[in-house]
Amino acid sequence: MKPFVYVTRQVPDAIYKRLAAKYDVEMWKEADKAVPREILLDKVSKADALLTVITDVVDEELFSRASSLKVVANMAVGIDNIDLDAASRYGVSICNTPDVLTDTTADLTFTLLLATARRVTEAAEFVKEGKWTSWAPMMLVGTDVHHKKIGIVGMGKIGTAVAKRAAGFDMDILYHNRNRHEVAEEMLGAQYRSLDGLLEEADFIVCLAPLNDDTRGLFQREHFQKMKKEAIFINASRGPIINEQALIEALEAKEIAAAGLDVFDKEPIHTDHPFLTMKNVVSLPHIGSATKETRMAMMRTCCENIEAVIDDGHPRTLVNKEVLHFD
Ligand code: DGY
């Protein structure tokens, strides 16, 4: 009997066929709707591998339903939807998709920063709504990005790639991270700051930290209050790192100038979410890695990891390395 692979979201033919050439594959066929929990729990009971996305909760209950599950290939660099300890206890390898999305996500993060600073979405709406009647000296003026200070919270691969882009805009680069990043300091002139120091000094605060127990709720009202009144806050990592209500209140109280958000506490946000009525907030639907090239590369990475584990090889991007020591 061929190993059974369950794919939790509709993937392009090329990916489906690659897996189907070797395995018995089933796929949840709706592109825009997550697989219902009961179906996922049912499928996992006979699965050798899962190809999951960030909306799938991969927890203890799921592992306890599995009898032959060996690998979960999560189509994301973030693995906050997965209980890693439980995975290791159940002997399941968890793989993610780092590297292939670094530049693409950095591009989107910088796009969001530029769009927020230069009011790009608001200006495009202005034209569409027929409000452009004349050139005017102060019409839709934004704020400069070049020669300003960017403060990157979370100087991993994506943070460093954003710093490179910022260097091209002649920005001063400040960063806060668990560990010092000597390469970024040497190559890009990045300067380490305490979190408070960064918040007080930066013109653009860019959150790119991974979501974990240390970063959940990292940004509270007092953090926004420490920022400059002209500061622009960008989040392209995970929504729950921010106390969303605190950000709404900080924007309403004009404690900061604007926000550009690709991620939210609960996704998708509801159409009556306060952010959607704020002209100084640019909201995007979690599209950091969303280019054809990168999404295909992410899915290929998932396939490679599934193939490696099922064929007893070494997965390229294993997250829970300790699984190798559990029997
Ligand atoms: C990731 O990779 O973690 C993104 O948020 C999903 O593309």
Side-chain angles (χ1 to χ4, degrees):
M1 219 169 62
K2 284 184 185 173
F4 175 57
V5 178
Y6 188 65
V7 181
T8 68
R9 205 55 85 91
Q10 192 181 45
V11 293
D13 266 2
I15 300 297
Y16 181 87
K17 284 184 182 150
R18 173 174 174 164
L19 292 170
K22 297 179 85 174
Y23 312 119
D24 188 6
V25 184
E26 258 186 59
M27 174 170 83
W28 174 247
K29 294 233 168 52
E30 294 195 40
D32 299 323
K33 194 167 163 258
V35 57
R37 179 79 178 165
E38 322 79 71
I39 296 185
L40 180 57
L41 291 179
D42 175 50
K43 299 294 176 191
V44 78
S45 63
K46 51 182 174 135
D48 294 279
L50 292 181
L51 194 163
T52 54
V53 297
I54 53 171
T55 49
D56 301 315
V57 177
V58 181
D59 56 4
E60 175 102 38
E61 183 191 25
L62 181 139
F63 295 121
S64 72
R65 299 288 184 97
S67 54
S68 53
L69 187 65
K70 295 173 193 61
V71 54
V72 175
N74 199 42
M75 189 190 158
V77 67
I79 28 85
D80 45 280
N81 57 317
I82 300 178
D83 182 339
L84 288 183
D85 290 339
S88 300
R89 271 187 275 113
Y90 282 85
V92 178
S93 297
I94 303 299
C95 303
N96 64 346
T97 62
D99 307 323
V100 292
L101 49 63
T102 301
D103 283 312
T104 300
T105 308
D107 283 349
L108 188 278
T109 306
F110 214 80
T111 302
L112 186 53
L113 185 154
L114 288 168
T116 311
R118 298 300 304 271
R119 301 171 64 182
V120 172
T121 50
E122 192 188 340
E125 283 304 310
F126 183 83
V127 177
K128 275 196 193 158
E129 288 165 10
K131 292 184 181 159
W132 186 26
T133 52
S134 171
W135 188 91
M138 296 306 278
M139 185 183 86
L140 286 161
V141 291
T143 187
D144 279 336
V145 171
H146 63 86
H147 296 95
K148 293 275 183 74
K149 279 189 184 158
I150 188 170
I152 300 171
V153 179
M155 196 69 155
K157 289 178 184 165
I158 301 172
T160 309
V162 168
K164 273 196 211 161
R165 284 147 181 79
F169 278 71
D170 294 317
M171 299 180 89
D172 283 340
I173 300 161
L174 313 178
Y175 77 97
H176 178 74
N177 199 44
R178 257 182 327 184
N179 306 308
R180 291 288 281 263
H181 196 313
E182 273 93 17
V183 177
E185 292 186 17
E186 262 172 48
M187 308 281 289
L188 302 167
Q191 302 167 48
Y192 177 82
R193 291 286 185 278
S194 65
L195 182 60
D196 284 356
L198 180 146
L199 301 181
E200 281 160 20
E201 236 187 288
D203 300 300
F204 296 91
I205 294 94
V206 180
C207 175
L208 285 164
L211 175 62
N212 54 39
D213 289 346
D214 295 334
T215 60
R216 188 176 293 277
L218 179 67
F219 284 90
Q220 298 292 334
R221 182 77 183 271
E222 75 242 37
H223 297 97
F224 295 112
Q225 283 167 337
K226 288 198 173 102
M227 296 177 193
K228 297 178 183 174
K229 294 223 173 328
E230 311 74 39
I232 292 183
F233 179 72
I234 304 293
N235 188 9
S237 58
R238 288 291 185 268
I241 297 182
I242 279 86
N243 175 340
E244 215 162 79
Q245 188 54 33
L247 175 57
I248 292 167
E249 285 165 15
L251 286 160
E252 281 170 351
K254 300 195 179 346
E255 286 160 2
I256 63 169
L261 307 168
D262 185 40
V263 289
F264 301 86
D265 205 8
K266 292 208 170 48
E267 298 178 1
I269 54 171
H270 204 266
T271 47
D272 63 5
H273 195 292
F275 286 145
L276 300 184
T277 58
M278 296 179 167
K279 276 198 179 325
N280 52 349
V281 176
V282 176
S283 302
L284 299 179
H286 201 146
I287 54 165
S289 62
T291 65
K292 277 183 239 144
E293 298 91 333
T294 293
R295 288 286 164 88
M296 288 306 291
M298 290 164 74
M299 288 182 267
R300 282 197 299 271
T301 303
C302 291
C303 292
E304 284 162 23
N305 283 319
I306 290 171
E307 288 159 1
V309 176
I310 292 184
D311 301 344
D312 272 338
H314 288 290
R316 199 162 55 79
T317 57
L318 179 66
V319 181
N320 57 338
K321 305 233 167 10
E322 60 282 4
V323 76
L324 303 172
H325 310 298
F326 280 84
D327 286 325

